[in-house]
């Protein structure tokens, strides 16, 4: 999300992720210690923090995305079009069943 939206309020980040603000605060603090994100005071609201990716965070995100895509290619690359179509239908049915239970 930070790669697409740039700098965001930490509270917005929690809301977008569907996480408790305290959980996001702990995660952001850990990422900040690793140098992957930076937090600054919101100039419009001193109680709020703004979060943005650092250059190192951007590099880590790119590397992680590439690794994830490689895993997906390895897992699903051996499947034919018919198998992938069947999987897609099963996942749609599962998604529908879960949304009905929510």
């Amino acid at each position: 999300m930070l790669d697409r939206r740039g700098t965001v309020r930490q509270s917005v980040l929690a809301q977008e992720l569907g996480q408790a603000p305290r959980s996001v605060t702990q995660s952001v603090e850990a990422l900040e210690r690793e140098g992957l994100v930076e937090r600054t005071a919101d100039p419009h609201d001193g109680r709020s923090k703004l979060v943005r990716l650092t250059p190192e965070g951007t590099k880590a995100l790119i590397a992680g995305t590439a690794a994830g895509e490689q895993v997906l290619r390895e897992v699903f690359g051996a499947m034919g079009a018919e198998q992938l179509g069947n999987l897609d239908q099963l996942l749609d049915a599962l998604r529908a069943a879960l949304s009905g239970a929510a």
Side-chain angles (χ1 to χ4, degrees):
M1 176 183 159
L2 292 176
D3 62 321
R4 293 184 314 274
R5 303 233 347 234
T7 302
V8 297
R9 277 190 179 169
Q10 194 166 300
S11 59
V12 170
L13 184 60
Q15 184 178 20
E16 290 285 325
L17 295 173
Q19 300 290 318
R22 176 174 219 146
S23 297
V24 170
T25 297
Q26 292 171 342
S27 297
V28 169
E29 286 173 349
L31 291 168
E32 187 176 37
R33 282 191 298 273
E34 296 294 323
L36 301 175
V37 298
E38 178 180 70
R39 289 187 307 163
T40 56
D42 185 336
H44 304 291
D45 182 353
R47 300 168 296 162
S48 296
K49 295 284 187 183
L50 299 174
V51 182
R52 72 170 187 85
L53 280 174
T54 63
E56 285 302 311
T58 299
K59 289 178 193 173
L61 180 61
I62 290 168
T65 300
E69 288 172 355
Q70 177 63 32
V71 168
L72 290 174
R73 279 191 296 278
E74 289 174 12
V75 170
F76 296 108
M79 297 175 80
E82 184 177 346
Q83 289 174 314
L84 288 170
N86 291 338
L87 177 59
D88 191 43
Q89 289 176 339
L90 289 169
L91 291 172
D92 283 344
L94 181 59
R95 194 174 7 258
L98 291 173
S99 67

